[in-house]
Amino acid sequence: MCGPRLKHTAYNINYHFVWCPKSRHSVLDEIEQSLETSSRDVCGEYNYEMPSLHISPDHVHLFISAHPKHSPSGITRKIKRITDRAMWQQHESFLENYFWGGGFWDESYYVGTAGEVSSQTIEQYIRRTEHV
């Protein structure tokens, strides 16, 4: 089953991202609503589909589908940079109690891929087509 389609491209590229605030401060529950809104706005602006978002006090889980032209590192960079700026604009007096020198996202992140078929299914398909 394919995901979204464009004129010359059909794709099903799904990413599971996880990232945390610096020093893993448990602050996200205080800004959850505006962080969710900002995250959804960024995804809409860059045409990333976000079927799932979960904000815990000290980390965020995002499940995103994106066109192959968008690299996982680029997606992460955009979302973290834009949400960081928006949260500082909206919650500066709160965030300055935890973070000095601006920025509140840690540099590191986790990304994993997910699709509708397993690696084993793809390998079997490729082996079958080799003999046609």
Side-chain angles (χ1 to χ4, degrees), residues 46-98:
Y46 288 95
N47 295 314
Y48 309 146
E49 293 183 26
M50 188 190 332
S52 183
L53 168 68
H54 177 75
I55 300 171
S56 292
D58 65 349
H59 66 281
V60 173
H61 287 268
L62 294 97
F63 189 55
I64 293 176
S65 178
H67 187 278
K69 70 182 178 183
H70 300 288
S71 70
S73 61
I75 294 168
T76 304
R77 213 173 19 256
K78 283 180 182 126
I79 296 173
K80 288 170 77 174
R81 184 186 75 238
I82 295 169
T83 59
D84 183 288
R85 189 177 326 124
M87 294 308 98
W88 275 102
Q89 288 172 347
Q90 297 172 39
H91 304 283
E92 182 176 0
S93 61
F94 171 71
L95 294 175
E96 67 188 2
N97 294 316
Y98 299 92

Side-chain angles (χ1 to χ4, degrees), residues 19 27 42 45 81 83 95-96 100 102-103 105 123 127:
W19 55 71
V27 298
V42 174
E45 181 179 342
R81 184 186 75 238
T83 59
L95 294 175
E96 67 188 2
W100 304 272
W105 291 125
E123 289 171 6
R127 277 196 297 266

Side-chain angles (χ1 to χ4, degrees), residues 11-29:
Y11 61 92
N12 181 24
I13 302 175
N14 304 297
Y15 301 106
H16 173 210
F17 292 102
V18 181
W19 55 71
C20 307
K22 289 179 182 176
S23 302
R24 198 133 186 194
H25 286 296
S26 294
V27 298
L28 301 181
D29 51 343

